[in-house]
Amino acid sequence: MCRPVSVSQGNGALLEPPPQVAGVLGRNRQGSLYRLVRGLNDALEDHLAASSRGYYLEINDIRQYYGDASVYDGYLSHYTHNGLSPLSVQGEWIARDILERLEGAMRVLRAEDPVKLIITDLDNTLWRGVLAEEDEIVPWQHTEGWPLGYAEALLECKRRGILLAICSKNDEGATRERFQQLWGQRLRLEDFCSVQINWQPKSQNIAQILRTTNILPDHALFIDDHPLEIEEVRRAFSRMRFLTGAPERWRHVLLYAPETQVARVSEESALRTNSIQAKAVRELAAVDIDRDAWLRSLGLTLRFDRIVDVGHSRYARALELLNRTNQFNTTGQRWSDAELQDWLASGGWLLAARAEDRFANHGLVALALLRNHGIEQVVLSCRVFSLGIERALLVEALRQMQEGGHADFVGHFTATGRNDACRDFWPAHGFTQDAGSSLWRGSVVPDAPTWIRSEGG
């Protein structure tokens, strides 16, 4: 059963009648009821897309999937027809699938168990066959059909902000060349934040990918055609999600599963892959240099935004970060849009930090929920761990509360089993815990990191 999610505007599509009414050669699309209803749906979608809290739910593809001939009484001139046939099993399936889509939409709005990382095999997964066994490669023979649809689905997931990675047992140099030969600019190795091509067990390579991305196995999906490889990885990461079997269905799963969808595609969605790649470059640059010197060399800048209502341009991204962050999340609380707006209306505000260094623009990566003298929640994206951003955020938060007349501060921490990364956040910054409580108290603003330049606030 779905928990209710409040939206100020929302609607499902109107069922569209069949376009072919005036005969095979007639003018069916112009001046017909189909054109009117299709136009209403288009206008409704445009209207809701312009609203920060509006969502349009498409259902006509479900009716089309089962077909009109036996399950749908397509109206021609008015809305008094029966619609879905009560005598048809397929009609019941359509009604069931519409309800399932509505439930899935609610899961998307709640950011419930999202997939943040997709790891794909190559041979017989991203292309047909084993390329190392081919004397001559004819690209279209390996990519036409389901591989092309799978590749397009991967790129759509990347657009939504899901990271992509490759894990393949192959010779790296030759495989990279063949990848370019097959896909050209349609799909590039640069679209993947981590590429592991070698002969090590896939569980070892995936462990490296998870370290690179700072993503928990719970939020990763591994796709491989070979059941034994799936099982080897499953033994190492029992909570990871897996996809194998008929590759013809992979595209549909990636595009339409609630776990791979987002309510809004934010500016940060397009930055995530570059941000992870930049993280790897940063870590490589840190190998032969003193850590303080390395931090200063980053040229890290934070730009702060104070968000007090839904009208702020970064509100949607802030809500997304709040609900998708697990490891550095001081309470683990999830917020619906309505709950967060009610909280803002009660006097709270969001302090959001956007980060940029010499390697990449990372977008909005840290957030603090502030009200009166309390810091109710702090979250930090895993892409920017260990750079001192959480400390700079806290300093700015306490400074703003001081300007509001508060000299003592209260922070909250609740262990979730997945947020050990921030367990020491409050004591590390001079706060002391109330005995037997989740509350931490402090009155001294810590020193800001000297290697971070701050703007705004």
Side-chain angles (χ1 to χ4, degrees):
M1 199 66 174
C2 290
R3 291 189 291 109
V5 174
S6 174
V7 293
S8 60
Q9 301 182 65
N11 210 334
L14 302 170
L15 279 177
E16 298 167 1
Q20 187 170 304
V21 176
V24 175
L25 301 178
R27 287 176 59 86
N28 290 289
R29 304 181 74 86
Q30 301 296 322
S32 66
L33 188 61
Y34 166 80
R35 185 180 183 186
L36 171 63
V37 179
R38 176 65 183 270
L40 289 173
N41 278 337
D42 290 344
L44 181 61
E45 183 178 32
D46 288 344
H47 173 72
L48 293 174
S51 167
S52 61
R53 300 180 64 189
Y55 302 94
Y56 173 85
L57 185 67
E58 182 59 75
I59 60 174
N60 280 287
D61 58 322
I62 296 175
R63 186 262 301 167
Q64 292 165 356
Y65 174 80
Y66 288 104
D68 292 338
S70 60
V71 301
Y72 176 58
D73 178 16
Y75 52 86
L76 302 181
S77 60
H78 49 80
Y79 294 91
T80 58
H81 287 264
N82 188 52
L84 300 178
S85 172
L87 302 179
S88 167
V89 174
Q90 290 94 330
E92 295 179 3
W93 291 345
I94 291 175
R96 177 205 64 193
D97 286 0
I98 290 174
L99 291 175
E100 287 183 356
R101 177 160 297 184
L102 178 60
E103 181 178 2
M106 294 299 184
R107 291 177 60 192
V108 173
L109 290 174
R110 293 196 301 266
E112 188 174 297
D113 297 323
V115 168
K116 301 180 180 180
L117 169 68
I118 297 174
I119 307 169
T120 181
D121 181 35
L122 295 178
D123 288 331
N124 282 313
T125 304
L126 196 53
W127 52 66
R128 298 178 187 270
V130 179
L131 295 191
E133 298 177 355
E134 300 287 337
D135 295 327
E136 180 182 2
I137 295 177
V138 181
W140 68 267
Q141 293 180 348
H142 298 279
T143 60
E144 287 301 308
W146 61 260
L148 183 58
Y150 176 53
E152 291 176 341
L154 287 175
L155 288 175
E156 168 58 21
C157 288
K158 178 175 180 279
R159 187 188 72 85
R160 297 173 184 175
I162 298 174
L163 297 171
L164 306 180
I166 289 173
C167 178
S168 173
K169 286 184 176 178
N170 261 304
D171 292 322
E172 183 174 9
T175 301
R176 284 178 174 269
E177 291 179 5
R178 289 167 179 143
F179 189 104
Q180 168 66 24
Q181 185 178 356
L182 280 183
W183 290 108
Q185 293 301 307
R186 295 182 298 177
L187 181 67
R188 303 166 301 141
L189 285 170
E190 291 77 11
D191 291 314
F192 298 83
C193 69
S194 180
V195 177
Q196 302 294 320
I197 303 174
N198 52 52
W199 294 102
Q200 295 179 0
K202 290 191 174 181
S203 59
Q204 292 183 23
N205 283 325
I206 288 177
Q208 178 58 45
I209 292 170
L210 294 175
R211 284 193 294 269
T212 298
T213 58
N214 266 344
I215 289 178
L216 297 172
D218 313 45
H219 296 293
L221 169 66
F222 177 46
I223 304 173
D224 196 306
D225 70 297
H226 203 305
L228 292 181
E229 299 288 6
I230 292 283
E231 191 56 33
E232 191 265 335
V233 175
R234 193 193 304 273
R235 285 199 301 270
F237 304 103
S238 60
R239 296 178 65 87
M240 188 172 287
R241 283 168 269 198
F242 302 89
L243 188 57
T244 189
E248 293 82 3
R249 60 185 286 269
W250 295 347
R251 174 184 179 276
H252 185 85
V253 171
L254 292 182
L255 292 180
Y256 299 111
E259 295 83 359
T260 60
Q261 298 187 57
V262 292
R264 304 282 188 196
V265 177
S266 65
E267 293 180 12
E268 282 73 15
S269 299
L271 301 175
R272 286 195 182 113
T273 296
N274 289 340
S275 184
I276 292 297
Q277 292 168 341
K279 175 177 176 289
V281 175
R282 283 200 311 266
E283 292 173 349
L284 185 63
V287 173
D288 298 320
I289 189 173
D290 173 75
R291 178 168 177 78
D292 288 342
W294 171 71
L295 287 169
R296 290 193 299 271
S297 75
L298 296 179
L300 183 58
T301 297
L302 290 187
R303 295 178 175 86
F304 292 105
D305 293 293
R306 183 182 174 111
I307 302 173
V308 297
D309 57 44
V310 69
H312 195 284
S313 62
R314 304 192 187 280
Y315 172 85
R317 165 57 184 162
L319 179 60
E320 177 191 43
L321 180 66
L322 192 58
N323 284 330
R324 290 175 65 90
T325 303
N326 294 298
Q327 296 177 78
F328 199 109
N329 186 329
T330 55
T331 67
Q333 181 176 348
R334 298 304 193 219
W335 297 74
S336 72
D337 186 10
E339 289 169 341
L340 187 57
Q341 291 199 48
D342 288 343
W343 183 82
L344 292 174
S346 72
W349 76 95
L350 309 177
L351 180 63
R354 292 173 283 136
E356 184 175 1
D357 59 31
R358 66 185 177 93
F359 296 106
N361 177 6
H362 304 284
L364 200 164
V365 294
L367 191 70
L369 278 68
L370 311 176
R371 183 166 57 181
N372 298 324
H373 70 301
I375 307 173
E376 304 200 10
Q377 193 169 0
V378 178
V379 299
L380 176 73
S381 169
C382 60
R383 294 178 282 132
V384 290
F385 278 9
S386 304
L387 299 180
I389 290 175
E390 68 279 12
R391 185 183 186 92
L393 177 72
L394 178 62
V395 170
E396 179 63 23
L398 299 182
R399 183 188 68 79
Q400 291 195 15
M401 287 192 290
Q402 280 184 333
E403 290 180 351
H406 302 289
D408 298 304
F409 319 110
V410 176
H412 297 256
F413 179 80
T414 302
T416 66
R418 295 193 289 179
N419 64 348
D420 283 348
C422 59
R423 179 176 292 277
D424 297 327
F425 176 67
W426 297 117
H429 294 102
F431 282 63
T432 56
Q433 186 179 17
D434 284 357
S437 169
S438 64
L439 298 181
W440 291 77
R441 298 184 184 276
S443 57
V444 178
V445 179
D447 294 332
T450 57
W451 60 88
I452 297 178
R453 185 166 68 94
S454 297
E455 299 178 355

Coordinates of all heavy atoms in Angstrom, one line a residue, residues 223-261:
I223 N 24.6 -5.8 -14.3 CA 23.9 -6.5 -15.5 C 25.0 -7.3 -16.2 O 26.0 -6.8 -16.7 CB 23.3 -5.4 -16.4 CG1 22.3 -4.5 -15.7 CG2 22.6 -6.1 -17.6 CD1 21.8 -3.4 -16.5
D224 N 24.7 -8.6 -16.4 CA 25.6 -9.5 -17.0 C 24.8 -10.7 -17.6 O 23.8 -11.1 -17.0 CB 26.6 -10.1 -16.0 CG 27.8 -10.7 -16.6 OD1 27.7 -11.7 -17.4 OD2 29.0 -10.3 -16.3
D225 N 25.2 -11.1 -18.8 CA 24.5 -12.2 -19.4 C 24.8 -13.6 -18.8 O 24.1 -14.6 -19.0 CB 24.9 -12.3 -20.9 CG 26.3 -12.8 -21.1 OD1 27.3 -12.1 -20.7 OD2 26.5 -13.8 -21.7
H226 N 25.9 -13.7 -18.0 CA 26.3 -15.0 -17.6 C 25.9 -15.3 -16.1 O 26.3 -14.6 -15.2 CB 27.9 -15.1 -17.6 CG 28.4 -16.5 -17.7 ND1 28.1 -17.5 -16.7 CD2 29.2 -17.1 -18.6 CE1 28.7 -18.6 -17.0 NE2 29.4 -18.4 -18.1
P227 N 25.0 -16.3 -15.9 CA 24.5 -16.5 -14.5 C 25.6 -16.8 -13.5 O 25.5 -16.4 -12.3 CB 23.6 -17.7 -14.7 CG 23.3 -17.7 -16.2 CD 24.5 -17.2 -16.9
L228 N 26.7 -17.5 -13.9 CA 27.8 -17.8 -13.0 C 28.5 -16.5 -12.5 O 28.9 -16.4 -11.3 CB 28.8 -18.7 -13.6 CG 28.3 -20.1 -13.9 CD1 29.4 -21.0 -14.5 CD2 27.7 -20.8 -12.6
E229 N 28.6 -15.5 -13.4 CA 29.2 -14.2 -13.0 C 28.3 -13.5 -12.0 O 28.7 -12.9 -11.0 CB 29.5 -13.4 -14.2 CG 30.5 -14.0 -15.2 CD 32.0 -14.0 -14.6 OE1 32.2 -13.6 -13.5 OE2 32.9 -14.4 -15.4
I230 N 27.0 -13.6 -12.3 CA 26.0 -12.9 -11.4 C 26.2 -13.6 -10.0 O 26.2 -12.9 -9.0 CB 24.6 -13.1 -12.0 CG1 24.4 -12.3 -13.2 CG2 23.6 -12.8 -10.9 CD1 24.2 -10.8 -13.0
E231 N 26.2 -14.9 -10.0 CA 26.3 -15.6 -8.7 C 27.6 -15.3 -7.9 O 27.5 -15.1 -6.7 CB 26.2 -17.1 -8.9 CG 25.9 -17.9 -7.6 CD 24.7 -17.4 -6.9 OE1 23.7 -17.0 -7.5 OE2 24.7 -17.4 -5.6
E232 N 28.7 -15.1 -8.6 CA 30.0 -14.8 -8.0 C 29.9 -13.5 -7.3 O 30.4 -13.3 -6.2 CB 31.1 -14.9 -9.0 CG 32.5 -14.8 -8.4 CD 33.1 -13.4 -8.3 OE1 32.7 -12.6 -9.2 OE2 33.9 -13.1 -7.5
V233 N 29.3 -12.5 -8.0 CA 29.2 -11.2 -7.4 C 28.1 -11.1 -6.3 O 28.3 -10.5 -5.3 CB 28.8 -10.1 -8.5 CG1 28.5 -8.8 -7.9 CG2 29.9 -10.1 -9.6
R234 N 27.1 -11.9 -6.5 CA 26.0 -12.0 -5.5 C 26.6 -12.5 -4.1 O 26.2 -12.0 -3.1 CB 24.9 -12.8 -5.9 CG 23.6 -12.7 -5.0 CD 22.6 -13.8 -5.4 NE 22.2 -13.8 -6.7 CZ 21.2 -13.1 -7.3 NH1 20.6 -12.2 -6.5 NH2 21.0 -13.2 -8.6
R235 N 27.5 -13.4 -4.2 CA 28.1 -14.0 -2.9 C 28.9 -12.9 -2.2 O 28.9 -12.9 -1.0 CB 29.0 -15.2 -3.3 CG 28.3 -16.4 -3.6 CD 29.2 -17.6 -3.4 NE 30.4 -17.5 -4.3 CZ 30.4 -18.0 -5.6 NH1 29.4 -18.6 -6.1 NH2 31.5 -17.9 -6.3
A236 N 29.5 -12.0 -3.0 CA 30.3 -10.9 -2.3 C 29.4 -9.7 -1.9 O 29.7 -9.1 -0.9 CB 31.3 -10.4 -3.3
F237 N 28.3 -9.5 -2.7 CA 27.4 -8.3 -2.4 C 26.0 -8.8 -2.4 O 25.3 -8.6 -3.4 CB 27.7 -7.2 -3.4 CG 29.1 -6.7 -3.5 CD1 29.9 -7.1 -4.5 CD2 29.6 -5.9 -2.5 CE1 31.3 -6.7 -4.6 CE2 31.0 -5.5 -2.5 CZ 31.8 -5.9 -3.6
S238 N 25.5 -9.3 -1.3 CA 24.2 -10.0 -1.3 C 23.1 -8.9 -1.5 O 22.0 -9.3 -1.9 CB 24.0 -10.7 0.0 OG 24.1 -9.9 1.1
R239 N 23.3 -7.7 -1.2 CA 22.3 -6.7 -1.2 C 22.3 -5.9 -2.6 O 21.4 -5.0 -2.8 CB 22.4 -5.7 -0.1 CG 22.2 -6.3 1.3 CD 22.4 -5.3 2.4 NE 21.4 -4.3 2.4 CZ 20.3 -4.3 3.0 NH1 19.9 -5.4 3.7 NH2 19.4 -3.3 2.9
M240 N 23.2 -6.2 -3.4 CA 23.2 -5.6 -4.7 C 22.0 -6.1 -5.6 O 21.5 -7.2 -5.3 CB 24.5 -5.9 -5.4 CG 24.8 -5.1 -6.7 SD 26.5 -5.4 -7.4 CE 27.4 -4.3 -6.2
R241 N 21.6 -5.3 -6.6 CA 20.6 -5.8 -7.5 C 21.2 -6.3 -8.8 O 22.3 -5.8 -9.2 CB 19.6 -4.6 -7.7 CG 18.7 -4.4 -6.5 CD 17.9 -3.1 -6.6 NE 18.6 -2.0 -6.0 CZ 18.0 -0.9 -5.6 NH1 16.7 -0.7 -5.9 NH2 18.7 0.0 -5.0
F242 N 20.5 -7.2 -9.4 CA 21.1 -7.9 -10.6 C 20.0 -8.0 -11.7 O 18.8 -8.0 -11.5 CB 21.5 -9.3 -10.2 CG 22.6 -9.3 -9.1 CD1 22.2 -9.4 -7.8 CD2 23.9 -9.2 -9.4 CE1 23.1 -9.4 -6.8 CE2 24.9 -9.2 -8.4 CZ 24.5 -9.3 -7.1
L243 N 20.6 -8.0 -12.9 CA 19.7 -8.2 -14.1 C 20.4 -9.1 -15.1 O 21.6 -8.8 -15.5 CB 19.4 -6.8 -14.7 CG 18.4 -6.7 -15.9 CD1 17.1 -7.3 -15.4 CD2 18.3 -5.3 -16.4
T244 N 19.8 -10.2 -15.5 CA 20.4 -11.1 -16.4 C 19.2 -11.7 -17.2 O 18.1 -11.2 -17.3 CB 21.2 -12.2 -15.7 OG1 21.9 -13.0 -16.7 CG2 20.4 -13.1 -14.8
G245 N 19.4 -12.8 -17.9 CA 18.4 -13.4 -18.7 C 18.2 -12.8 -20.0 O 19.2 -12.3 -20.6
A246 N 17.0 -12.7 -20.5 CA 16.7 -12.2 -21.9 C 17.1 -10.8 -22.0 O 16.5 -9.9 -21.4 CB 15.2 -12.4 -22.2
P247 N 18.1 -10.5 -22.9 CA 18.5 -9.1 -23.0 C 17.5 -8.2 -23.6 O 17.6 -6.9 -23.5 CB 19.8 -9.2 -23.8 CG 19.6 -10.4 -24.6 CD 18.9 -11.4 -23.7
E248 N 16.5 -8.7 -24.3 CA 15.5 -7.9 -25.0 C 14.7 -7.1 -24.0 O 14.0 -6.1 -24.3 CB 14.6 -8.8 -25.8 CG 15.2 -9.4 -27.0 CD 16.0 -10.7 -26.7 OE1 16.0 -11.1 -25.5 OE2 16.6 -11.3 -27.6
R249 N 14.6 -7.6 -22.7 CA 13.8 -6.9 -21.7 C 14.6 -5.9 -20.9 O 14.0 -5.1 -20.1 CB 13.2 -7.9 -20.8 CG 14.1 -8.8 -20.0 CD 13.4 -9.8 -19.2 NE 12.7 -9.2 -18.1 CZ 13.3 -9.1 -16.9 NH1 14.5 -9.6 -16.7 NH2 12.7 -8.6 -15.8
W250 N 15.9 -5.8 -21.1 CA 16.7 -4.9 -20.2 C 16.4 -3.5 -20.5 O 16.3 -2.7 -19.5 CB 18.2 -5.1 -20.5 CG 18.7 -6.5 -20.1 CD1 18.1 -7.4 -19.4 CD2 20.0 -7.1 -20.5 NE1 18.8 -8.6 -19.2 CE2 20.0 -8.4 -19.9 CE3 21.0 -6.7 -21.2 CZ2 21.1 -9.3 -20.1 CZ3 22.1 -7.5 -21.4 CH2 22.1 -8.8 -20.8
R251 N 16.2 -3.1 -21.7 CA 15.9 -1.7 -22.0 C 14.6 -1.3 -21.3 O 14.6 -0.2 -20.7 CB 15.7 -1.5 -23.5 CG 15.2 -0.2 -24.0 CD 14.9 -0.1 -25.5 NE 14.4 1.2 -25.8 CZ 13.2 1.6 -25.8 NH1 12.2 0.8 -25.3 NH2 12.8 2.8 -26.1
H252 N 13.6 -2.1 -21.3 CA 12.3 -1.8 -20.7 C 12.5 -1.6 -19.2 O 12.0 -0.7 -18.6 CB 11.3 -2.8 -21.0 CG 9.9 -2.5 -20.5 ND1 9.0 -1.7 -21.1 CD2 9.3 -2.8 -19.3 CE1 7.9 -1.6 -20.4 NE2 8.1 -2.3 -19.3
V253 N 13.3 -2.5 -18.6 CA 13.5 -2.5 -17.1 C 14.2 -1.2 -16.8 O 13.8 -0.5 -15.8 CB 14.3 -3.7 -16.6 CG1 14.7 -3.5 -15.2 CG2 13.5 -5.0 -16.8
L254 N 15.3 -0.8 -17.5 CA 16.1 0.4 -17.2 C 15.2 1.6 -17.3 O 15.4 2.6 -16.6 CB 17.3 0.4 -18.0 CG 18.4 -0.6 -17.8 CD1 19.6 -0.4 -18.7 CD2 18.8 -0.6 -16.3
L255 N 14.4 1.7 -18.3 CA 13.6 2.9 -18.6 C 12.5 3.1 -17.7 O 12.1 4.2 -17.3 CB 13.1 2.9 -20.1 CG 14.2 3.0 -21.1 CD1 13.6 3.0 -22.5 CD2 15.0 4.3 -21.0
Y256 N 11.8 2.0 -17.3 CA 10.5 2.1 -16.6 C 10.5 1.6 -15.1 O 9.5 1.9 -14.5 CB 9.5 1.4 -17.4 CG 9.3 2.0 -18.8 CD1 9.7 1.2 -19.9 CD2 8.8 3.2 -19.0 CE1 9.6 1.8 -21.2 CE2 8.7 3.8 -20.2 CZ 9.1 3.0 -21.3 OH 8.9 3.6 -22.6
A257 N 11.5 0.9 -14.6 CA 11.5 0.5 -13.2 C 11.5 1.8 -12.3 O 12.2 2.7 -12.6 CB 12.7 -0.4 -12.9
P258 N 10.7 1.8 -11.3 CA 10.7 3.0 -10.4 C 12.1 3.3 -9.8 O 12.4 4.5 -9.6 CB 9.7 2.6 -9.3 CG 8.8 1.6 -9.9 CD 9.7 0.8 -10.9
E259 N 12.9 2.3 -9.6 CA 14.2 2.5 -9.0 C 15.2 3.2 -9.9 O 16.2 3.8 -9.4 CB 14.8 1.1 -8.6 CG 14.1 0.3 -7.6 CD 12.9 -0.5 -8.1 OE1 12.6 -0.4 -9.4 OE2 12.2 -1.2 -7.3
T260 N 14.9 3.3 -11.2 CA 15.8 4.0 -12.1 C 15.2 5.3 -12.6 O 15.8 5.9 -13.6 CB 16.1 3.1 -13.3 OG1 14.9 2.8 -14.0 CG2 16.8 1.8 -12.9
Q261 N 14.2 5.8 -12.0 CA 13.6 7.0 -12.4 C 13.7 8.1 -11.4 O 14.0 7.8 -10.2 CB 12.1 6.8 -12.7 CG 11.9 5.8 -13.9 CD 10.4 5.7 -14.3 OE1 9.8 6.7 -14.6 NE2 9.9 4.5 -14.2

